[in-house]
Amino acid sequence: MYKILTVKNPWQGAKNINLEYFLVEKNKKIPEAIKEKNIVRIPLQRVVCLSTTHVAMIDFLNETKSIVGIAGTDYVVNPSIRKMICDGKIKNVGFDNNLNYELLISLHPDAVIIYGVSSEASQIAGKLKDLNIPCIINAEYLEQDVMAKTEWIKFFATLFNKEKFADDRFSKIENEYFELKSQVANLQSKPKVLSGLPWKGTWWIPGGKSHMAQLIADAGGEFLWKQNTSHESFPLSIEAVFAKSQSADVWINSGSAKNINEILFTDERIKKFKIIQTEKIYNNNAVINQFGGNDFWESGIVSPQVVLKDLIKIFHPEILPTYHLKYYKKLK
């Protein structure tokens, strides 16, 4: 007996690519028919994660003890995992094309969970295969639907034989998310929302069909670029954003800025933005570690209902009068 895990089009631009992983129990003999396939022995007991979102999903399953390596350990926020890093139980395996393959070999992982924004992911997978290190490409980051992104916990659950556990917990998250969404769905007044911050003169705006645009809409906000049809971020000049943002009631996700002065430092023209005067600016960096790792991009991926609560509290504070923000904070 074995399970087949299929990942479709696992990087940007991929078409008609299906990757199959054959999950075989460690105490079972590998069937002759699949001996030449991508075999992964389960349940995983030693795993390397190349993204902090992978860490969050494994933590969600209460399987952090299995993590022996992480790409970029500085960016992990989870306190218990940080302790494991400090204690030397989890190693930093490097980044992307600078992966430390010698270290990876020494860790004897049951699997390396990788991702890729391009076909380079297949190159890393090929290198790991040459070293007889099982790897699995995870494509959660490509999902634009909020709950679809979180639902990848079920993908990880198959690797630990925890499908029922993941199904039950996901159902609770999903129910809470849609119950919260229903509380603001019929509100007549919806604040207009600006998102992002310029970088070297260019302002990257979330696409109107993006994950963030959906969160804003589900929280009862009106994204200023909601008519845009892109799933990806798109570039605009500061002048173009300025013209559109004069009607903005709330500004969210302002890069790494910790206060309004840091926002103004990025470009002096921002001083002319009307919303700077109202100070209704909130950033999703309330929980960061000493190295700049941001928990919004870690545990937030498996807590969409909490992210939604934060945004509802920002857009419609009267709906959740006693709730305190977790991932967001008001900038001053």
Side-chain angles (χ1 to χ4, degrees):
M1 290 292 291
Y2 54 86
K3 295 182 281 191
I4 302 176
L5 192 59
T6 304
V7 183
K8 299 181 178 181
N9 299 326
W11 53 76
Q12 290 179 7
K15 292 182 179 179
N16 302 317
I17 295 177
N18 292 331
L19 302 178
E20 289 188 329
Y21 303 96
F22 292 75
L23 312 182
V24 183
E25 294 284 340
K26 288 185 173 178
N27 60 350
K28 302 290 185 183
K29 184 179 179 181
I30 298 175
E32 195 68 32
I34 65 169
K35 278 191 174 179
E36 301 303 316
K37 304 292 186 179
N38 288 325
I39 306 293
V40 179
R41 289 293 202 166
I42 60 169
L44 299 184
Q45 294 175 315
R46 297 181 63 80
V47 60
V48 172
C49 304
L50 299 194
S51 169
T52 55
T53 61
H54 306 164
V55 172
M57 291 191 176
I58 292 174
D59 178 62
F60 181 93
L61 297 169
N62 297 329
E63 292 291 342
T64 52
K65 65 182 183 297
S66 70
I67 301 174
V68 296
I70 296 173
T73 51
D74 282 355
Y75 296 103
V76 176
V77 176
N78 184 299
S80 64
I81 297 176
R82 287 232 58 81
K83 184 177 187 307
M84 292 171 70
I85 294 167
C86 292
D87 291 345
K89 295 178 180 178
I90 294 177
K91 305 297 185 183
N92 187 347
V93 300
F95 276 112
D96 299 332
N97 292 327
N98 294 314
L99 285 176
N100 186 334
Y101 288 100
E102 288 185 5
L103 176 57
L104 281 171
I105 293 170
S106 72
L107 291 174
H108 303 290
D110 294 323
V112 177
I113 312 297
I114 71 176
Y115 75 99
V117 294
S118 69
S119 58
E120 288 180 4
S122 64
Q123 296 172 17
I124 294 173
K127 176 68 173 176
L128 291 170
K129 184 177 182 180
D130 291 342
L131 296 172
N132 293 316
I133 299 175
C135 74
I136 300 173
I137 297 182
N138 167 58
E140 134 276 322
Y141 78 100
L142 290 171
E143 300 284 2
Q144 295 303 330
D145 180 84
V146 174
M147 295 311 301
K149 191 180 289 282
T150 303
E151 196 168 15
W152 276 77
I153 58 174
K154 297 179 182 180
F155 166 93
F156 280 87
T158 65
L159 305 174
F160 294 93
N161 288 334
K162 284 196 165 182
E163 288 92 334
K164 186 178 186 307
F165 178 87
D167 286 347
D168 291 345
R169 287 200 67 186
F170 177 77
S171 292
K172 290 177 182 177
I173 290 170
E174 188 176 42
N175 290 339
E176 184 177 356
Y177 186 95
F178 285 111
E179 193 279 327
L180 285 163
K181 177 182 174 181
S182 70
Q183 291 186 40
V184 296
N186 297 317
L187 295 178
Q188 297 302 310
S189 177
K190 296 186 177 182
K192 293 181 171 60
V193 182
L194 169 66
S195 179
L197 193 70
W199 172 252
K200 295 183 178 180
T202 300
W203 200 306
W204 287 90
I205 301 290
K209 300 298 182 183
S210 67
H211 170 263
M212 185 50 62
Q214 183 191 345
L215 274 167
I216 291 170
D218 289 351
E222 183 179 334
F223 183 42
L224 288 174
W225 284 270
K226 67 178 183 179
Q227 302 302 329
N228 178 272
T229 58
S230 175
H231 291 279
E232 310 295 333
S233 294
F234 60 96
L236 287 178
S237 66
I238 291 181
E239 290 79 8
V241 175
F242 176 81
K244 188 88 166 177
S245 69
Q246 288 304 90
S247 62
D249 301 300
V250 182
W251 183 356
I252 64 170
N253 301 359
S254 49
S256 61
K258 298 181 182 67
N259 53 59
I260 292 176
N261 281 337
E262 289 188 11
I263 288 178
L264 298 177
F265 184 75
T266 61
D267 196 297
E268 61 181 14
R269 290 171 289 180
I270 294 177
K271 291 179 181 178
K272 298 179 181 179
F273 280 44
K274 182 180 176 182
I275 198 164
I276 288 291
Q277 309 307 318
T278 67
E279 297 188 351
K280 289 186 177 180
I281 305 172
Y282 295 82
N283 207 359
N284 55 356
N285 59 355
V287 187
I288 58 174
N289 68 17
Q290 66 268 42
F291 305 109
N294 188 341
D295 200 31
F296 181 86
W297 304 112
E298 188 177 321
S299 73
I301 210 75
V302 294
S303 305
Q305 81 284 19
V306 181
V307 175
L308 188 66
K309 275 186 181 180
D310 274 15
L311 291 174
I312 290 173
K313 179 69 175 182
I314 293 168
F315 301 160
H316 304 283
E318 72 284 356
I319 299 293
L320 301 171
T322 62
Y323 177 72
H324 297 285
L325 298 176
K326 177 176 180 179
Y327 295 108
Y328 281 84
K329 66 178 182 179
K330 185 173 184 180
L331 301 192
K332 299 178 181 179

